[in-house]
Every structure is written in C-alpha cells, then in structure tokens.
Amino acid sequence: MTLTDCIFCDIINGKLPCHLIHKDDNHIVILDRYPIDVGHSLIITKKPYEKLTDMSVEEIMDLFSKIPKIISAIIKATKADGFSIAQNNGKAAKQIIPHVHVHIIPRYNATETLWTQRKLMKDIELNKLLQKIRSFVV
C-alpha cells in the first residue's frame, strides 16, 4: 500500500480536510466525521499499515501510548462518563478503511448509543468540539 490508497492517506497528505486534534511524527488524531457518539476520535498511523500485525511491537506500543492523553482531553471537553476503544483488523473484523487506526469513543450515562448508530456531524459542530478538545491536549 502507498500513501495514496485510502481516505486516511489523503488526509495525512493534506489532500482532504479533517478536524485535526493532534499530530506527531508517526500519528494524527482526528474527530470522526461519522461518530458513534460526540467526541468519537481516531488515532491514525502515518505509515499506511493495513493491520496491527504489519507493525513492529515498538510501533504498536507508540500508537497505543497516545490513548491516555487523547481520551483525557476528550473527557474534559465533552464531560463524558466513560469511553470505549476499538481497533479492527481485516474485513471480517469490520475494518472499513484498510489503514491502522484506533477508535476512541466517549460514552455518556444519559445515552444508550449503539455501535451501529452513526450520524454525520456538521463542520460547525465539529469545529466547536475540536477547539474544546484541543484546549485540553497537553
């Protein structure tokens, strides 16, 4: 796979817009445009790996080490009561985009959101949420 084969590659290469929460040398963190719940975000590897098994142990550790910082900022910004983490590998596991990414999904006691319920958020809503979350990323 090359850095032109998927939507995430286009986002990483600046060909498509995104709501960028954070980036470093190896990852980007964006708000999911089709969230399961408010604040649903994705940590995406810059290298176009399809599955975790394509990565080194060190790269996997680096990827998952981002979760506490990002979820802490999301919880502070959204007042979420908990969170779910998901990472799918392969079509059988319902991986839609063949590029390694981790879903961070805030959860709220007041809602009973299902995994299959998604909605398209408007840019104005995403931008407002993005600014709130970014203010808590240290």
Side-chain angles (χ1 to χ4, degrees):
M1 186 183 309
T2 66
L3 282 178
T4 58
D5 289 341
C6 71
I7 191 168
F8 290 161
C9 298
D10 288 343
I11 290 170
I12 291 164
N13 286 322
K15 294 179 183 176
L16 288 175
C18 69
H19 294 87
L20 183 69
I21 295 171
H22 179 76
K23 69 179 176 178
D24 61 30
D25 292 340
N26 301 315
H27 312 93
I28 64 168
V29 183
I30 63 172
L31 284 171
D32 194 316
R33 194 158 177 80
Y34 301 96
I36 291 173
D37 226 327
V38 175
H40 180 169
S41 300
L42 306 171
I43 303 175
I44 305 166
T45 60
K46 285 186 176 177
K47 289 184 183 176
Y49 297 114
E50 183 175 346
K51 300 175 184 171
L52 284 181
T53 51
D54 299 331
M55 299 171 65
S56 71
V57 171
E58 292 78 17
E59 289 169 316
I60 294 169
M61 289 177 6
D62 186 33
L63 171 64
F64 280 85
S65 74
K66 308 302 176 203
I67 293 171
K69 175 181 179 177
I70 298 303
I71 194 58
S72 292
I74 292 169
I75 288 172
K76 288 175 186 171
T78 64
K79 308 286 191 255
D81 300 300
F83 63 95
S84 298
I85 298 170
Q87 202 287 315
N88 305 317
N89 293 272
K91 286 183 182 182
K94 307 298 184 225
Q95 181 182 17
I96 296 168
I97 299 172
H99 188 126
V100 170
H101 59 287
V102 177
H103 295 262
I104 299 176
I105 307 159
R107 298 300 189 160
Y108 305 89
N109 290 329
T111 62
E112 293 185 20
T113 307
L114 300 174
W115 284 96
T116 56
Q117 292 178 333
R118 290 181 155 214
K119 62 180 181 176
L120 177 61
M121 288 185 70
K122 296 178 181 175
D123 280 332
I124 195 161
E125 296 171 302
L126 289 167
N127 286 331
K128 191 174 183 181
L129 180 59
L130 175 65
Q131 294 310 313
K132 250 179 135 171
I133 295 170
R134 275 188 184 164
S135 74
F136 292 106
V137 176
V138 183

